[in-house]
Amino acid sequence: MARGSAGIVSGLTAAALAVVGFLAYQASANVPATLAAPKPKASSSAPATGHAARPKDKDHPLAVPAGSGSGTRVVYALGDRRVWLVGPGGKTVRTFAVMPSSVNPKPGVYRVSSRSGTIKGSDGVPIEHVVRFAVADGNVPVGFSAAKDDSMKSPDPSLRTGGVRMRRADGNAMWTFATVDVKVVVVP
């Protein structure tokens, strides 16, 4: 009798898992349009959610991430902590490491919205060549910048800052490349 009970329990468990899987699929397939993630827009200055880069090229780790768009653009890979300046025809002009801010933009397509030559960063550090492209978490401006002392310290997690730091030489290249309205693509 014990052997028969075990078979019944296994069968019921398998049936229950199948039903739960089916219901989960139905729920995800029937999300109202008002709750679904918006589709990416290449020409919008607002973030495009739902954008996913393809897997990184393991043979060429410094290659521009696949799925980051086309044309002249700045590509910022959050996970790699790296930026690519991509010119016409998809040719990489420069790539370099960055130090992410404590508040990051969501993956998507943005446009350079404003620039400042020399200012004090929201963390109190004197910075230069500020290239702003997004607003995250409702009100935190996000942009690339270089500390005048050439530091790339990890941001204080208690401060809500949007400064993506880079070396001064890289900041000079960014400043020359990323003028107002240049596309910035953020990938995971």
Side-chain angles (χ1 to χ4, degrees):
M1 184 83 176
R3 193 179 278 182
S5 296
I8 291 172
V9 171
S10 294
L12 289 174
T13 301
L17 288 173
V19 169
V20 168
F22 175 75
L23 291 174
Y25 167 76
Q26 269 193 321
S28 69
N30 293 310
V31 173
T34 56
L35 295 177
K39 303 292 183 222
K41 294 180 183 176
S43 62
S44 174
S45 62
T49 58
H51 181 278
R54 293 186 196 119
K56 187 148 180 63
D57 184 342
K58 297 193 189 315
D59 293 332
H60 303 97
L62 297 182
V64 177
S68 66
S70 61
T72 300
R73 64 199 184 280
V74 175
V75 178
Y76 174 29
L78 296 168
D80 289 335
R81 296 179 168 198
R82 179 161 288 280
V83 165
W84 290 261
L85 305 180
V86 183
K91 181 174 172 37
T92 300
V93 175
R94 187 180 188 109
T95 184
F96 48 89
V98 295
M99 178 56 68
S101 54
S102 61
V103 175
N104 290 305
K106 292 182 179 174
V109 178
Y110 303 83
R111 295 273 177 185
V112 173
S113 57
S114 68
R115 299 169 9 123
S116 298
T118 302
I119 62 171
K120 185 181 263 189
S122 54
D123 58 357
V125 174
I127 57 175
E128 63 185 3
H129 297 148
V130 180
V131 175
R132 293 177 204 87
F133 64 92
V135 175
D137 286 353
N139 63 353
V140 179
V142 178
F144 303 109
S145 63
K148 290 183 109 184
D149 67 1
D150 209 28
S151 66
M152 287 181 39
K153 298 176 187 164
S154 293
D156 180 344
S158 68
L159 298 176
R160 291 174 35 88
T161 62
V164 181
R165 294 287 161 78
M166 60 195 68
R167 297 283 179 207
R168 289 185 82 184
D170 298 324
N172 291 339
M174 175 69 77
W175 182 256
T176 301
F177 186 88
T179 56
V180 171
D181 209 36
V182 165
K183 183 171 26 175
V184 178
V185 180
V186 178
V187 298

